[in-house]
C-alpha cells in the first residue's frame, strides 16, 4: 500500500511538471507572436524609412565631399520634393514633369568642358572619370549620386513608399525610376557647356541607339548657345571593327545642332562587354577644363 501511495505521488508530480512545461511553451509562443505583431504595426522599420535614410545619408555625404558650404537642410528638402513626385500615384503613371519641383530644389551647376555622357558603357565611363578627375557623368551630380542603383515607387491611394514590387525599366514608360532619370538627364544635358563628350559602345552594331536615354533625352536637350561641341569616344575591344563611319553615328551628327562641332575618336584596348547597363555611387572630382 505504501508503494502504491508513493507511485501515485510520483505520477502526480510528473503530470504537474508536464503541465508546467506545456504552459511555459505556450506563454513563450504567445510572447513571440505579440512581439512580431508589435514590430510590424508600431516599431518596425519600413521600406519608406529605409529609402529616406539612404537618400538623406547619400545627400549629406555628397555635400560634405563636394559642397561643404551648402546647408544639410537641402537634403530634407530634396527628399520632400522627391517623395511628392510619386507617392500616392499609380507606379506606371508618374510623368517626367512630376520631378520638376525636385529639379528646381537642386540647382544643376554648369560644368564647362567637363561633361561626359554615356550609353551602354556605364562601367567604363565611371572608370574613365576616376582617372580623369575633372570629367563628370550624371551619376557624379548630387541627384545622380543620391539615386544611383535605387528602386522606388508608390501605390494609388497609399501614403507609403515601396522599394519592392515596383515596375522594371521597360515594364511601363512612365514608371517612377525611368521618369526620374529622364528628368535628371534632361537637366544635366541642358546645363552642359563648352565641349562635351559621350562614351559609346563600339562593340555594338548601333552605338547610337535611338531608344537610349542619350539619344531620346540628352541629345534633344543640348543648348547650342552654351555648348560648343561634342566628342564621341567610341570604345571597343582590340579586335572589334569599330568605326566612326558607323551609320548610327551619322544619325547622331544629323540630330545635333549644326552650330556644334562634332568629333569622333575610336578608343580600343578597353575591357568592354556588349551588355552594359543603361542607367545607375561616386562623387565627382574637381578640376579645370578636360581634353578627351
Amino acid at each position: 500500500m505504501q508503494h502504491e501511495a508513493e507511485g501515485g505521488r510520483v505520477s502526480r508530480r510528473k503530470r504537474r511538471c508536464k503541465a508546467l512545461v506545456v504552459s511555459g511553451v505556450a506563454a513563450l509562443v504567445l510572447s513571440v507572436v505579440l512581439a512580431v505583431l508589435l514590430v510590424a504595426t508600431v516599431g518596425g522599420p519600413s521600406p519608406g524609412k529605409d529609402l529616406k535614410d539612404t537618400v538623406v545619408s547619400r545627400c549629406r555625404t555628397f555635400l560634405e565631399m563636394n559642397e561643404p558650404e551648402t546647408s544639410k537642410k537641402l537634403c530634407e528638402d530634396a527628399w520632400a520634393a522627391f517623395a511628392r513626385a510619386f507617392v500616392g500615384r499609380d507606379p506606371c503613371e508618374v510623368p517626367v514633369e512630376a520631378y520638376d519641383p525636385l529639379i528646381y530644389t537642386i540647382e544643376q551647376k554648369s560644368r564647362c568642358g567637363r561633361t561626359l555622357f554615356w550609353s551602354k558603357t556605364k562601367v567604363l565611363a565611371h572608370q574613365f572619370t576616376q582617372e580623369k578627375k575633372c570629367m563628370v557623368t550624371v551619376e557624379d551630380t548630387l541627384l545622380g549620386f543620391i539615386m544611383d542603383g535605387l528602386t522606388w515607387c508608390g501605390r494609388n491611394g497609399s501614403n507609403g513608399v515601396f522599394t519592392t514590387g515596383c515596375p522594371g525599366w521597360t515594364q511601363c514608360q512612365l514608371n517612377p525610376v525611368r521618369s526620374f532619370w529622364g528628368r535628371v538627364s534632361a537637366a544635366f544635358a541642358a546645363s552642359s557647356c563648352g565641349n562635351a563628350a559621350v562614351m559609346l559602345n563600339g562593340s555594338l552594331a548601333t552605338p547610337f541607339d535611338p531608344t537610349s536615354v542619350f539619344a531620346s533625352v540628352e541629345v534633344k536637350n543640348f543648348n547650342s548657345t552654351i555648348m560648343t561641341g561634342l566628342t564621341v569616344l567610341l570604345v571597343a575591344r582590340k579586335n572589334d571593327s569599330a568605326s566612326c563611319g558607323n551609320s548610327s553615328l551619322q544619325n547622331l551628327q544629323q540630330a545635333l545642332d549644326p552650330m556644334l562641332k562634332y568629333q569622333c575618336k575610336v578608343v580600343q584596348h578597353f575591357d568592354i562587354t556588349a551588355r552594359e547597363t543603361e542607367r545607375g555611387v561616386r562623387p565627382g572630382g574637381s578640376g579645370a577644363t578636360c581634353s578627351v
Side-chain angles (χ1 to χ4, degrees):
M1 294 292 291
Q2 184 180 358
H3 176 72
E4 290 178 357
E6 289 177 353
R9 285 195 293 272
V10 169
S11 178
R12 285 194 295 273
R13 281 199 298 270
K14 287 183 178 180
R15 286 198 296 271
R16 283 197 298 271
C17 287
K18 185 176 180 180
L20 287 172
V21 169
V22 171
S23 61
V25 170
L28 179 61
V29 171
L30 180 61
S31 65
V32 169
V33 171
L34 289 175
V36 170
L37 289 174
L38 184 64
V39 168
T41 58
V42 180
S46 67
K49 183 179 183 302
D50 289 344
L51 182 64
K52 180 179 180 180
D53 289 347
T54 299
V55 167
V56 172
S57 175
R58 285 187 181 185
C59 177
R60 289 174 176 168
T61 297
F62 183 95
L63 294 181
E64 287 169 4
M65 292 190 293
N66 297 275
E67 303 173 23
E69 71 285 354
T70 301
S71 170
K72 302 302 185 293
K73 182 179 180 299
L74 178 65
C75 299
E76 295 289 344
D77 294 341
W79 167 259
F82 169 73
R84 283 197 298 270
F86 66 91
V87 170
R89 291 178 181 260
D90 185 311
C92 280
E93 295 182 8
V94 179
V96 173
E97 297 76 18
Y99 291 100
D100 282 353
L102 176 62
I103 296 299
Y104 301 147
T105 300
I106 307 292
E107 179 186 1
Q108 195 65 258
K109 293 180 172 59
S110 297
R111 296 168 173 82
C112 289
R114 300 175 54 199
T115 306
L116 178 66
F117 300 95
W118 59 266
S119 180
K120 308 297 192 300
T121 57
K122 180 183 177 180
V123 173
L124 280 179
H126 289 165
Q127 290 175 352
F128 184 77
T129 56
Q130 282 181 321
E131 295 175 6
K132 274 191 169 293
K133 294 295 184 182
C134 56
M135 298 300 292
V136 178
T137 68
V138 68
E139 291 83 15
D140 298 319
T141 65
L142 177 55
L143 288 176
F145 179 91
I146 293 173
M147 303 312 301
D148 188 20
L150 300 182
T151 299
W152 64 90
C153 64
R155 297 280 190 276
N156 256 336
S158 170
N159 292 325
V161 174
F162 303 90
T163 56
T164 59
C166 300
W169 182 268
T170 59
Q171 189 171 338
C172 52
Q173 188 74 23
L174 297 180
N175 70 71
V177 175
R178 185 166 184 157
S179 290
F180 169 85
W181 286 111
R183 186 63 184 90
V184 171
S185 296
F188 182 64
S191 69
S192 178
C193 59
N195 190 73
V198 59
M199 186 174 285
L200 301 180
N201 192 334
S203 296
L204 300 176
T206 309
F208 180 63
D209 180 357
T211 67
S212 68
V213 171
F214 176 65
S216 64
V217 176
E218 291 169 331
V219 169
K220 294 179 180 180
N221 281 278
F222 288 162
N223 183 354
S224 60
T225 63
I226 58 174
M227 187 171 166
T228 58
L230 179 71
T231 299
V232 173
L233 301 175
L234 190 63
V235 296
R237 291 181 293 260
K238 185 176 180 179
N239 297 323
D240 285 342
S241 57
S243 170
C244 286
N246 184 286
S247 61
S248 73
L249 297 183
Q250 294 175 15
N251 295 335
L252 170 57
Q253 284 184 269
Q254 293 172 2
L256 294 175
D257 188 304
M259 295 293 292
L260 298 179
K261 181 181 178 181
Y262 174 86
Q263 300 179 77
C264 177
K265 300 177 182 180
V266 176
V267 184
Q268 293 183 320
H269 304 285
F270 275 86
D271 180 17
I272 185 171
T273 61
R275 296 186 63 187
E276 280 270 10
T277 57
E278 178 56 31
R279 286 288 127 191
V281 182
R282 235 181 23 78
S286 60
T289 301
C290 291
S291 58
V292 291

